[in-house]
Amino acid sequence: MIFIFLLFGQNSLYRLGIVFFLYAKRLIMKKVLIVAGLLFHFIMADGQSLGHEYRTAIGVKVWDGGGLSIKHFVKPNTALEGIAYFWNKGVRITGLYEIHGNISGAEGLKWYVGPGAHVGFYDGDNKYNTNNDQATFIGIDGVLGLDYKFNKVPINISIDWQPSFEFGDNRGFYGGWGGLGIRYAFGK
């Protein structure tokens, strides 16, 4: 470096640093794009689901606030669903184990039921936190719902009720969770 500085002066060293920075940034971006491309390839490798069955679905769930939802079938009639609910006074992360069953005469429509658990991070005074301060609570959940996969379109919708019980001061049973889910379905 001293040789470069003596040979080319301070401005040239500055320019060399800029060139090195831009080259390093380009290499990092190239690696990020390669990793993103590989992830996209593996996610879409199964392709979109155009029949009545699907393996994985990603989308949103709305009810009391909004949330991100991913549902993945681990067996033909058993799925895991992860939901991150967001609203103006907190966040709630829920995991559900769902057992699905067909409804005869209604192709693409299934009922589901199962247990789950959640952790909630609540801010300030609201109907979920009466202590007027920030709090974190854990709880157990149940789910009962209907799931429909449109034929020839990679869209899945669901509606469910998720009663829950939270542990802690001023906590207990709450029956107002659940929602309408709209997801992009792929794989089978």
Side-chain angles (χ1 to χ4, degrees), residues 46-47 49 53-56 73 75-76 186-188:
D46 285 335
S49 174
E53 302 289 327
Y54 66 96
R55 181 154 177 114
T56 304
F73 280 85
K75 293 181 180 174
F186 49 95
K188 186 56 195 155

Side-chain angles (χ1 to χ4, degrees), residues 16 50 56 64 77 87-88 129 136 166-167 173:
L16 183 63
L50 297 178
T56 304
D64 189 11
N77 67 336
W87 75 102
N88 65 345
N129 181 13
T136 302
E166 270 187 352
F167 301 98
F173 176 78

Side-chain angles (χ1 to χ4, degrees), residues 36-75:
L38 287 173
L39 283 173
F40 180 76
H41 172 73
F42 288 125
I43 288 173
M44 299 307 283
D46 285 335
Q48 59 189 4
S49 174
L50 297 178
H52 283 295
E53 302 289 327
Y54 66 96
R55 181 154 177 114
T56 304
I58 298 173
V60 296
K61 193 170 242 188
V62 293
W63 195 267
D64 189 11
L68 301 175
S69 169
I70 181 168
K71 182 184 268 192
H72 178 75
F73 280 85
V74 292
K75 293 181 180 174

Side-chain angles (χ1 to χ4, degrees), residues 14 66 143 163:
Y14 175 74
V143 65

Side-chain angles (χ1 to χ4, degrees), residues 103-115:
I103 296 177
S104 62
E107 196 172 350
L109 183 62
K110 297 181 180 212
W111 58 265
Y112 60 94
V113 64

Side-chain angles (χ1 to χ4, degrees), residues 67 74 117 120 124 138 145 165 176 180:
V74 292
I138 60 170
F165 186 90
L180 172 68

Side-chain angles (χ1 to χ4, degrees), residues 1 12 14 20 23 49 57 67 84 98 115 136 140 161 171 188:
M1 280 293 201
S12 295
Y14 175 74
F20 177 75
Y23 179 72
S49 174
E98 301 171 350
T136 302
I140 55 174
W161 176 53
R171 311 312 298 166
K188 186 56 195 155

